[in-house]
Amino acid sequence: MKSKLIIGLFLAVSFIQIITPLSMIIKRESVLKNGGQFKFKTAPVDPYDVFRGRYVALQIENNYVPAIKETKFSGGQTVYALIDIDNQGFARFTAATTVRPPDKPYIQTKTRYVSGDKMYLDLPIDRYYMEEKAAPMAERIYQHYVQRGKQDAYVIVRIKDGFAVIESLYVGAQRIEDALKQERKR
């Protein structure tokens, strides 16, 4: 009887260990396949942080919404940031609400802080993961394209039910992977 219980527990734990990462992969792939596509401008970021691993660190240019004076938002509070498209085709955040919007595109995120008339968002689209060996060079290329005054970089993000996944990073109107290939040929 005791051995059946141990075997049952082992199988249950094994099942959970397999299903958890598998469900995370399936969710991201579903968003990439079926989610709405949005283009966000990126902004300059502090230099590469060697302790964070192999990815390109991103910052969305307009990572804030107007603060509503009557509403008190605390840091780390879950909100739904509403998205609109500007006349150049870039997505921008227009407002945040604590209620999931039924008919407008949004990203589920958290508040970072309020400063003056702006509420800054802690966006889940701040890292573009790449092959480990390519990421440092990609970071240098990206930093070149987001220098103040130049700022010629953006990300394509797929969003479905508030869940956002970065599809591509563009620098100088080309995918970062293509820019890496050109840089390697030099």
Side-chain angles (χ1 to χ4, degrees):
M1 182 68 170
K2 196 174 190 179
S3 64
K4 286 184 180 182
L5 178 63
I6 291 172
I7 291 172
L9 286 173
F10 174 76
L11 290 175
V13 169
S14 297
F15 180 74
I16 291 170
Q17 288 179 334
I18 293 171
I19 292 300
T20 300
L22 189 60
S23 67
M24 292 167 64
I25 292 168
I26 290 170
K27 184 175 184 177
R28 288 188 177 282
E29 290 300 319
S30 172
V31 170
L32 286 172
K33 185 175 181 181
N34 303 315
Q37 190 178 67
F38 297 88
K39 181 169 67 170
F40 288 92
K41 286 184 180 180
T42 61
V45 177
D46 290 337
Y48 181 72
D49 182 354
V50 296
F51 297 108
R52 290 191 170 195
R54 297 297 181 194
Y55 60 86
V56 178
L58 306 172
Q59 179 177 329
I60 301 303
E61 187 175 80
N62 295 315
N63 63 340
Y64 57 85
V65 294
I68 303 169
K69 301 225 185 282
E70 307 83 44
T71 308
K72 297 290 183 197
F73 287 102
S74 60
Q77 180 179 354
T78 298
V79 295
Y80 303 97
L82 303 180
I83 302 168
D84 194 17
I85 307 298
D86 69 15
N87 57 4
Q88 295 177 341
F90 287 99
R92 61 183 177 84
F93 298 105
T94 57
T97 178
T98 56
V99 179
R100 186 183 309 261
D103 58 348
K104 294 182 180 180
Y106 65 93
I107 289 180
Q108 182 176 336
T109 187
K110 296 195 180 291
T111 60
R112 184 171 283 167
Y113 61 91
V114 177
S115 176
D117 62 347
K118 296 177 183 173
M119 179 175 61
Y120 289 85
L121 305 170
D122 188 11
L123 298 172
I125 50 176
D126 63 349
R127 298 175 183 180
Y128 184 69
Y129 290 94
M130 300 188 68
E131 174 196 347
E132 187 171 335
K133 291 180 181 178
M137 184 184 289
E139 180 77 18
R140 286 190 296 276
I141 292 169
Y142 172 72
Q143 289 298 329
H144 171 74
Y145 280 95
V146 294
Q147 293 173 4
R148 296 214 186 275
K150 190 170 190 172
Q151 293 176 265
D152 190 16
Y154 60 90
V155 290
I156 300 293
V157 177
R158 292 279 184 168
I159 302 170
K160 182 179 177 189
D161 300 326
F163 188 76
V165 177
I166 297 175
E167 182 176 62
S168 304
L169 170 60
Y170 284 82
V171 292
Q174 65 180 340
R175 293 184 65 218
I176 189 72
E177 290 82 1
D178 296 333
L180 275 169
K181 287 177 188 173
Q182 286 182 351
E183 187 69 26
R184 288 179 181 152
K185 288 179 183 178
R186 291 181 189 178

